[in-house]
Each structure stands twice: as structure tokens, then as C-alpha cells.
Amino acid sequence: MTRTSAARRPNPRQLPNEEETWQRLHAILRRLAPTAADVPGYFKEGWTGKDAVGHLGTWMAEGAQVLRQIAAGTYREGELDVDAANARFLAALHDIPLATVHLQCAAAHTQLLSAWADLPDVTAAADFWGRKAGPEHLLEHLPRLEAWMDELGC
């Protein structure tokens, strides 16, 4: 087998749709101007575009943490209150500047991919958290984020 054909073979450990969803989110981040980032309306509850990006980044960070727990054998299913975590994450990042939220999201993405790559085995829990904190979660939010950018004229 040549080096070129080996490079084209998909990595069985790659999260499905990870690259595509990350590129879509990154395209939104390039569009999101600091002046538009704090405009409420992304969600009717008053979330801003920046809040949504912070939400995605914090869940990537949480996912990385859980994947590391799974790898270490310390993960306990069901210990996380999702609604409480969402509220805590929103409060923590709401007043943080867009540039910092963007960096946090990028760093969390890197940590999620690193934790995924470091797994000794992809268990059912690891598969769930890798997808849920990464591509599947982004796919839940990307259509509304893209529409919100259009509504804001970004």
C-alpha cells in the first residue's frame, strides 16, 4: 500500500461528522462580529450568539473531561445534571468577551479530540459522550446559529 492511499483511508477512531461540524461552527465564528455577539434572540430565553458558542465550547470541555474519566475508569453514568450545568455554563461565560469565548471553544474542541484519541477503547459511554459533546451537539445548534447570523446581517 502506498503512503497516499493510506492517507485517504478514514480513521476508524474519528468522530463521525466532526470535521464538517467544526468547520461550520468556525465559519459562524468568522461571521460573528463583536457588536452582534451580544444581541439577544438566538433563543427566546435571551441567549446571544456568543452565549450559544460558549455553550457549545463548555460542553466540548465537559465531554473531554468525561472521556478522560472513562479512560481512567472513574466515570459514573448519570452524575451530571444537564440543566444545572447549562445554567452554570451560561452564567460563567455570559460576560466574557467574544474573543475569549472563541478561544475557549477552540481549546475545548482540541481537548475533546485529544481525549477521544487517548481512549484505550471506545466504549458505549465514550461513543455517546464523544458524539454528544461534539458533532451531534453542534448539529443541534448550527442551523439556528447560521439563521441567527443571517437575521443579524452578519
Side-chain angles (χ1 to χ4, degrees):
M1 176 167 20
T2 67
R3 184 176 192 87
T4 306
S5 63
R8 290 187 196 146
R9 184 181 310 147
N11 181 346
R13 290 290 300 270
Q14 186 173 17
L15 290 165
N17 299 318
E18 189 283 319
E19 180 65 24
E20 173 195 343
T21 56
W22 176 249
Q23 291 305 319
R24 280 178 66 189
L25 178 60
H26 204 67
I28 290 166
L29 288 168
R30 286 192 300 270
R31 290 174 63 187
L32 185 57
T35 54
D38 290 322
V39 175
Y42 166 76
F43 275 160
K44 65 182 177 187
E45 295 86 2
W47 279 29
T48 66
K50 184 186 75 176
D51 293 336
V53 171
H55 168 82
L56 292 169
T58 53
W59 277 106
M60 283 187 255
E62 185 70 27
Q65 178 181 326
V66 170
L67 289 175
R68 299 234 187 263
Q69 290 172 346
I70 291 168
T74 60
Y75 172 69
R76 301 293 174 257
E77 191 169 340
E79 290 185 349
L80 183 63
D81 180 338
V82 172
D83 291 333
N86 279 335
R88 191 173 65 253
F89 297 158
L90 180 62
L93 291 176
H94 186 72
D95 294 327
I96 303 296
L98 175 62
T100 304
V101 171
H102 184 168
L103 288 172
Q104 181 275 338
C105 186
H109 176 250
T110 299
Q111 286 301 308
L112 179 67
L113 294 182
S114 175
W116 177 259
D118 290 346
L119 286 168
D121 298 305
V122 179
T123 63
D127 180 62
F128 170 82
W129 274 99
R131 288 180 294 103
K132 190 62 178 164
E136 285 184 10
H137 193 211
L138 269 63
L139 285 171
E140 290 174 27
H141 289 275
L142 286 170
R144 177 62 188 133
L145 267 170
E146 290 163 339
W148 183 237
M149 293 299 95
D150 291 343
E151 290 172 37
L152 292 174
C154 294

